[in-house]
Amino acid sequence: MRPLDPVSARSRTALGLAFFVLFVAAWSLATFGGYVSKTFLADPLTMVREGWDLLVKFNFLYDIGMTVWRVVGGFVLAAAIAVPLGLLMGAYKPIEAFLEPFVSFARYLPASAFIPLLILWAGIGELQKLLIIFIGSVFQIILMITVTVGNTRRDLVEAAYTLGASDRGIIGRVLLPSAAPDIAEILRLVLGWAWTYVIVAELIGSSSGIGHMITDSQALLNTGQIIFGIIVIGLIGLISDFLFKAFNAWLFPWKLA
C-alpha cells in the first residue's frame, strides 16, 4: 500500500464490504454481549424485525417514496437555478463580483433556521419541505460551479477566440464542456447534502416521510425502527451515489481517460 496507488475494482469492493462486516460485528458484540442496553441501541436482529414490521404493517414504503420525492424535487429545483447562474458567474467576472458576496453569505445560513419562516410563508405542506432542500443546496451549488468554471484553462479560451469564437461560443463550446464533468460531480456531492435537509424538514410539521417515522419512533423509544430508518436513508443514498457515478462516467468518458 503506497500513497495514491490505485486498487482494482474487485479489491475496492472487497474492502468496502469488509468495513460493513466489521461494523455489524462490533454492533452485535456491543448489543448481544450486553455491553449496551437495548433501550439505547437495538441489536441487529431486533432492527431487522422492527424494519419488517414497518414495511408490512405501517406502509413504510409510502414514507420512503415521499422522502425520495422531496429530495429529488428540491434538488432538481436548486440545480435548475444554480447551474446556469454559477456558469454565468464563472464566465463573467462583473456578475461574479455582484453576486458572490451574497451567495457566500447565504451559504453559511443553516437551512433549518428558515423552517419557522417557511412554515409561516408556505405552511407545513410539500412546498415548505422542497424550499428547505432548495435553500440548503442552491447556494452551495452556485459557488462551487462558479469556482469550477472560473478555473477553466485560459489557453483554451484564447485559442477559441483566435479561431473566431464569439462570447456565446466561448461559453457553449469551451467553458461548459470543460467544466461539465466537474459540475456533474458537484451535483453528486450536493445531492448527499440534500438528504440531511429533508430529514430536518420532516422532523417538524410532517405527517409522512422517513424523518416523521424517526420522530414517532423516538417518542416510543423504539431504537430498532430509528436505526432501520437511518440505514434505509444510507442505502438509498449509496445507491443513488453509485448511479450518479456510473452516469457521469458514461456521459463524460474523457474525464477518466
Side-chain angles (χ1 to χ4, degrees):
M1 185 169 61
R2 301 174 62 185
L4 300 182
D5 270 2
V7 297
S8 65
R10 179 177 297 180
S11 297
R12 181 178 294 275
T13 301
L15 289 171
L17 291 175
F19 177 84
F20 283 102
V21 171
L22 291 175
F23 178 81
V24 174
W27 177 14
S28 300
L29 178 63
T31 50
F32 289 124
Y35 297 102
V36 179
S37 171
K38 292 184 179 181
T39 302
F40 301 103
L41 181 65
D43 59 75
L45 290 181
T46 300
M47 182 273 298
V48 172
R49 196 161 52 242
E50 294 290 348
W52 178 256
D53 287 342
L54 283 173
L55 294 171
V56 174
K57 299 179 181 179
F58 300 103
N59 198 21
F60 188 51
L61 286 177
Y62 173 77
D63 291 311
I64 295 174
M66 289 300 299
T67 297
V68 171
W69 141 249
R70 289 162 182 161
V71 171
V72 173
F75 177 76
V76 169
L77 181 62
I81 293 176
V83 171
L85 191 56
L87 181 60
L88 288 175
M89 289 174 62
Y92 296 103
K93 296 308 177 183
I95 298 179
E96 179 183 1
F98 180 67
L99 293 176
E100 193 272 339
F102 172 75
V103 174
S104 296
F105 162 78
R107 78 186 183 95
Y108 283 102
L109 302 177
S112 56
F114 287 90
I115 291 179
L117 282 176
L118 292 177
I119 291 177
L120 289 175
W121 295 341
I124 58 174
E126 295 304 309
L127 179 60
Q128 174 250 347
K129 296 167 182 58
L130 294 177
L131 288 176
I132 290 175
I133 299 168
F134 172 82
I135 292 172
S137 304
V138 66
F139 300 110
Q140 310 290 344
I141 300 174
I142 290 174
L143 200 59
M144 294 170 74
I145 291 179
T146 299
V147 173
T148 297
V149 174
N151 287 336
T152 302
R153 288 168 46 189
R154 293 293 302 176
D155 58 327
L156 297 178
V157 177
E158 296 299 335
Y161 274 127
T162 302
L163 295 173
S166 63
D167 289 348
R168 181 176 295 182
I170 292 295
I171 295 176
R173 303 295 295 274
V174 179
L175 298 182
L176 184 57
S178 174
D182 292 323
I183 291 175
E185 188 68 9
I186 289 169
L187 294 177
R188 181 182 72 86
L189 294 174
V190 177
L191 177 61
W193 301 346
W195 276 94
T196 63
Y197 303 132
V198 73
I199 298 304
V200 170
E202 291 178 345
L203 290 176
I204 301 176
S206 180
S207 60
S208 62
I210 300 175
H212 169 70
M213 184 279 294
I214 290 176
T215 302
D216 285 352
S217 299
Q218 177 195 19
L220 299 173
L221 297 179
N222 193 327
T223 56
Q225 292 184 358
I226 295 173
I227 296 172
F228 183 77
I230 294 172
I231 290 176
V232 167
I233 294 170
L235 288 176
I236 296 175
L238 187 62
I239 293 171
S240 64
D241 195 67
F242 283 151
L243 292 177
F244 225 126
K245 282 184 178 180
F247 180 71
N248 289 350
W250 171 79
L251 195 60
F252 309 111
W254 66 87
K255 183 68 175 179
L256 303 177

